[in-house]
Amino acid sequence: MRLYIAEKPSVGRALAACLPDPHRKGQGWIETGGGVVTWLFGHVLRQAEPEEYDPKLKRWRTEDLPILPKEWRLVVNESAAQQFAVVKGLIERADEIVHGGDPDREGQLLVDEVLDYLGNEKPVRRILINALDDKSIHDALGDLRDNRDFLPLKRSALARARADWLIGMNLSRAYTLAARRAGHDRLVLPIGRVKTPTLALVVRREREIENFKPATYYLLDAVFRHEKSGESFHARWKPSEERTPLDPEGRLVDEKAARAALESFGGAPQDAQITRYERKKKEEPPPLPFSLSALQVLAGKRYGYEPQQVLDTAQKLYEEKLTSYPRSDAEYLPVSQHKDAPKILGNLAALDGSELSAWAREADAKQKSRAWNDAKISAHHAIIPTTVPVNLARLSEMERNIYGLIARAYIAQFHPNYVYDQTKVEVTYHGELFAASGRTERAAGWRAMYRTGKSETEDAEKEDEESAVLPPMKKGDAANYVSADLSTRQTKPPSRFTPATLLQGMKEIHKYVKDEAAKKMLRDVSGIGTEATRASIIEDLIRRKFLNAAGKKKVLTPTAEAYLLIDALPDAMTYPDATAVWEDRLHSMAQGEGTPEEFLAGQAAFARELCAAALTATISGGGGVPCPACGRGVMMKRKGKHGDFWGCSAFPQCRMTANDTDGKPDFTGKRIPRAANGAAGAPPFASAPTPVARGSYTPTADEQAEMDALFFGE
């Protein structure tokens, strides 16, 4: 018996529908004339929790960190136990297994980990399903691969999962305990290999905005008349640093110098000369089809959709067989897919009353853009429409918009390049340099599909310069000065992140790394996180109230807890450099370089280093009375079986307690433990009497139980 194991029920049902009759449905499986199809529910196995390795690890204690499993364990998810039993029984009956996980690293691991967990030794083949329409599935069935070919993908995903466990589990405990010692009662600080640097991007951006001081600068635009043609044109003065003080960005910030220049330019002589004239024909190919991140970013900017909304919508379109696999990090297509172009374009051309219809009718199905490149394809390809006709009226507004973006990007591959002339001119006048540039369109090509109104630009000056209208001229031509105008601009603070732009920042993480060597290396790496997880990471930071999302665009601002967490952590955890390098290594592992063991050894060393740093981490106080014994923790009021009492937040390292008197700790009669060096502890709370250190103090059983419950309670 051949057994197909899909990643999820929808894929399993679509796969079974393409296998020969007869069909017979069971509980969690479908028997066909071509074999049995079953499915998982995503991860039916999970990483074991620390307490499942050792019960004592259920209590969060500094002395137990870092937790480094010698042998990694997986546990069957309770919610998937029934289906796991079905899959297990079918594997035992099978002669051959076909791995039908999603065509990416995570999908590879999902099925492989089940096979490994059950000790499977039967032959395994791999089917790569990039879309759920019948044609795509039949094509995939005709191209089964040896599952061993995808071992690097599995290793990379396995290394990622275990690294996330090592960093998240250990550092979350270490820094939560540090926060408790500082008086932040009940505060939990979740730390993640990707999550924390992502949060830090928002925190640092907000501080840039808070500390930003606007500066005024000046622009001087002159009008010249070309002597031969008599036509006028504008050119912008490019002051030299030798003559005029400029800021580090090369901007003129001295108003007196600007006005003096303006006045001097009006004097004789009025003649100027064209010292450079460059006119080049240029072509721009159509933008590539979408990866998930690219789709999320554009949909966020155009429609204000959150990344998770885009993923969910793309997933629904995929399950409706209208588009290909959504969790793709690829922007290219296999050459073999090009044969489907006439069918897809024909379906789009038949849409009544849609812009897509007009664009598709003008498309040339024989044209092959740069998007078709087998060398750029691994397990999956860019998101595109399938051969299944779409009824736009049956889609929701969001589904229509997302489908429209996907379809437009696909149609663009069959339109000509955008062709234009780029002109650059330099004018010398009064010994000073003026410059202008312009663009003259020759053929709109694919760009005609993207003219939906004036696009927003973050660089208005550049746009002004490049939109100049220039007469035909050549180097050496004479020109005459006509007039000039002085305008002022103010520097602007950086924009706050939205979910869409933060996701873009995660993908383009090289822009935020500090190390120049790492920046160069990571320029072409797909950032931190995965296509499938970036949206959920941002959503989780909002859900946990580390980020606030305000307004229609969901502008992100950090909460007080976000500042506290990022400030407490060392740069190695908050800057993306290390995480980005790790992502690069994971990417290389997926290509067959390196092993999980080598990678995880580095992650374990990192966890050790940061757990040690947590012991001396400075976390802003959460209130409370400074502990007179250790000086590091604070006295916090607790409810005990016999009434209220006060205990040090650094328990169990510090076991100082005090009775409660009128809502304050009463140190009268209390013995203050000596510090580790033998000296008395820090000065007590100002309102309390100064006690005498007389050796160690042991809390009562009730007090210790209460402190245990506070810090390590179930």
Side-chain angles (χ1 to χ4, degrees):
M1 179 192 77
R2 171 180 282 183
L3 175 65
Y4 295 85
I5 305 176
E7 183 170 324
K8 53 181 73 74
S10 60
V11 178
R13 288 192 291 269
L15 175 58
C18 294
L19 293 173
D21 290 332
H23 286 192
R24 183 169 68 92
K25 293 183 179 179
Q27 188 66 37
W29 53 270
I30 302 173
E31 185 176 0
T32 77
V36 176
V37 179
T38 190
W39 45 82
L40 308 177
F41 299 122
H43 282 283
V44 300
L45 299 172
R46 60 171 175 80
Q47 294 283 348
E49 297 289 331
E51 58 267 29
E52 291 172 310
Y53 288 95
D54 187 340
K56 76 173 186 179
L57 297 177
K58 188 168 186 175
R59 298 172 60 184
W60 291 28
R61 304 192 306 174
T62 300
E63 53 264 40
D64 293 329
L65 302 177
I67 303 166
L68 305 173
K70 293 182 179 179
E71 293 185 4
W72 290 89
R73 297 180 190 174
L74 292 173
V75 179
V76 178
N77 273 313
E78 290 185 10
S79 61
Q82 183 176 347
Q83 184 62 18
F84 178 80
V86 170
V87 174
K88 180 176 181 293
L90 291 170
I91 289 175
E92 291 172 352
R93 292 170 47 203
D95 301 307
E96 180 188 52
I97 297 166
V98 178
H99 182 316
D102 286 349
D104 55 17
R105 284 185 286 185
E106 193 72 10
Q108 188 65 40
L109 178 62
L110 277 169
V111 178
D112 276 346
E113 67 184 3
V114 171
L115 297 175
D116 293 343
Y117 184 86
L118 296 173
N120 176 68
E121 295 183 354
K122 297 171 182 178
V124 183
R125 303 181 76 182
R126 184 69 159 99
I127 183 171
L128 300 175
I129 301 175
N130 277 292
L132 298 184
D133 61 293
D134 290 356
K135 185 180 185 307
S136 296
I137 293 177
H138 281 297
D139 288 346
L141 286 167
D143 189 29
L144 296 182
R145 307 266 299 275
D146 191 323
N147 192 53
R148 290 174 294 186
D149 294 346
F150 300 89
L151 182 60
L153 286 181
K154 167 193 167 181
R155 287 173 173 168
S156 177
L158 186 64
R160 176 189 295 277
R162 291 176 176 177
D164 288 345
W165 193 99
L166 284 174
I167 300 303
M169 198 68 69
N170 284 297
L171 300 191
S172 294
R173 291 187 174 209
Y175 284 88
T176 295
L177 291 171
R180 298 285 173 85
R181 292 193 296 270
H184 294 279
D185 191 16
R186 305 287 182 183
L187 178 64
V188 177
L189 297 179
I191 297 173
R193 190 180 55 85
V194 175
K195 184 182 299 180
T196 301
T198 300
L199 178 62
L201 289 181
V202 184
V203 170
R204 293 197 180 95
R205 175 64 58 84
E206 191 65 22
R207 281 179 167 153
E208 286 180 44
I209 295 169
E210 291 169 355
N211 298 325
F212 179 80
K213 295 181 180 179
T216 301
Y217 61 99
Y218 302 87
L219 302 173
L220 197 155
D221 291 295
V223 179
F224 295 95
R225 182 178 292 111
H226 184 235
E227 194 171 79
K228 288 184 178 180
S229 67
E231 295 183 49
S232 298
F233 63 96
H234 290 77
R236 180 160 293 167
W237 179 40
K238 302 296 182 181
S240 64
E241 209 164 354
E242 291 76 18
R243 168 173 173 168
T244 311
L246 305 176
D247 71 0
E249 303 297 323
R251 293 174 296 219
L252 176 60
V253 294
D254 190 322
E255 183 178 6
K256 289 184 178 180
R259 294 195 178 281
L262 177 63
E263 186 175 341
S264 71
F265 291 153
Q270 300 289 305
D271 56 312
Q273 187 178 37
I274 309 300
T275 51
R276 180 190 178 196
Y277 182 81
E278 185 179 280
R279 186 182 182 99
K280 289 184 178 179
K281 177 185 176 183
K282 291 192 174 184
E283 294 190 29
E284 286 184 14
L288 292 167
F290 288 113
S291 65
L292 175 59
S293 290
L295 179 62
Q296 288 170 315
V297 171
L298 182 59
K301 291 180 177 179
R302 175 153 301 182
Y303 301 114
Y305 297 157
E306 296 179 36
Q308 191 64 46
Q309 290 178 306
V310 179
L311 173 55
D312 293 343
T313 303
Q315 178 70 28
K316 188 172 181 181
L317 292 172
Y318 167 67
E319 292 179 357
E320 293 292 329
K321 306 182 180 183
L322 298 176
T323 59
S324 61
Y325 180 66
R327 292 173 172 81
S328 173
D329 61 357
E331 296 180 329
Y332 291 87
L333 300 167
V335 174
S336 60
Q337 197 281 330
H338 192 270
K339 67 180 183 297
D340 294 336
K343 177 67 173 175
I344 296 173
L345 292 172
N347 289 339
L348 295 171
L351 295 173
D352 292 332
S354 170
E355 287 182 313
L356 296 175
S357 175
W359 297 334
R361 287 196 300 271
E362 295 171 2
D364 179 4
K366 296 180 181 179
Q367 182 172 307
K368 190 176 289 184
S369 74
R370 60 183 176 138
W372 278 273
N373 188 337
D374 287 342
K376 301 283 189 177
I377 302 297
S378 54
H380 45 71
H381 58 66
I383 309 170
I384 60 172
T386 66
T387 56
V388 175
V390 63
N391 184 345
L392 295 177
R394 294 183 60 185
L395 303 181
S396 68
E397 181 182 5
M398 187 177 295
E399 290 166 352
R400 283 196 301 274
N401 289 338
I402 297 300
Y403 183 86
L405 293 177
I406 295 170
R408 183 181 65 170
Y410 182 78
I411 297 170
Q413 307 309 312
F414 305 94
H415 280 245
N417 289 347
Y418 168 53
V419 185
Y420 64 95
D421 289 329
Q422 180 70 59
T423 306
K424 294 184 179 180
V425 175
E426 290 182 357
V427 183
T428 300
Y429 173 65
H430 276 212
E432 296 288 331
L433 181 66
F434 294 76
S437 62
R439 178 179 292 195
T440 304
E441 185 176 285
R442 289 193 177 192
W446 62 267
R447 222 175 151 86
M449 300 168 52
Y450 286 76
R451 289 174 176 161
T452 57
K454 186 177 180 180
S455 60
E456 296 181 1
T457 177
E458 296 181 1
D459 195 342
E461 292 171 39
K462 187 176 180 181
E463 184 175 271
D464 291 345
E465 290 185 82
E466 292 186 351
S467 63
V469 178
L470 302 173
M473 60 185 84
K474 64 180 186 294
K475 182 179 179 180
D477 282 357
N480 293 309
Y481 173 85
V482 177
S483 63
D485 178 64
L486 185 66
S487 59
T488 62
R489 296 272 175 84
Q490 275 201 326
T491 57
K492 297 180 180 179
S495 300
R496 288 186 171 92
F497 285 109
T498 66
T501 58
L502 182 56
L503 187 143
Q504 185 176 24
M506 296 171 73
K507 188 172 178 67
E508 299 175 350
I509 202 64
H510 64 275
K511 295 180 179 180
Y512 302 95
V513 301
K514 296 194 299 181
D515 185 78
E516 288 299 320
K519 184 187 292 285
K520 184 178 180 180
M521 177 183 68
L522 296 167
R523 195 172 299 278
D524 296 325
V525 175
S526 54
I528 59 175
T530 68
E531 299 293 320
T533 61
R534 290 180 187 128
S536 62
I537 287 170
I538 296 170
E539 194 172 67
D540 188 62
L541 288 170
I542 297 171
R543 181 181 62 82
R544 290 178 177 269
K545 301 189 185 307
F546 284 92
L547 293 177
N548 288 322
K552 186 177 179 181
K553 292 186 177 180
K554 305 293 184 181
V555 175
L556 300 174
T557 54
T559 63
E561 289 77 12
Y563 286 106
L564 184 146
L565 173 59
I566 299 305
D567 290 344
L569 292 168
D571 286 357
M573 195 66 222
T574 63
Y575 278 94
D577 300 52
T579 302
V581 171
W582 297 338
E583 293 286 355
D584 182 61
R585 291 187 62 189
L586 289 169
H587 179 77
S588 297
M589 199 182 301
Q591 307 300 314
E593 301 175 17
T595 66
E597 290 75 20
E598 294 169 346
F599 180 76
L600 291 172
Q603 298 294 291
F606 185 79
R608 288 191 190 95
E609 179 185 338
L610 265 69
C611 283
L615 295 173
T616 56
T618 301
I619 297 181
S620 56
V625 178
C627 176
C630 68
R632 291 175 56 206
V634 296
M635 301 300 293
M636 301 187 72
K637 191 175 181 180
R638 310 298 184 200
K639 289 188 178 296
K641 293 180 180 179
H642 305 291
D644 294 344
F645 74 101
W646 292 73
C648 181
S649 62
F651 179 90
Q653 285 76 26
C654 178
R655 296 179 175 271
M656 183 68 197
T657 63
N659 295 326
D660 178 73
T661 301
D662 299 327
K664 295 181 180 180
D666 183 359
F667 298 105
T668 305
K670 284 286 184 182
R671 295 172 294 170
I672 307 301
R674 290 185 175 273
N677 61 4
F685 184 51
S687 66
T690 304
V692 180
R694 298 176 183 165
S696 64
Y697 172 77
T698 303
T700 67
D702 284 345
E703 289 174 338
Q704 183 165 341
E706 294 296 330
M707 297 292 281
D708 282 344
L710 171 71
F711 285 93
F712 317 117
E714 299 184 6

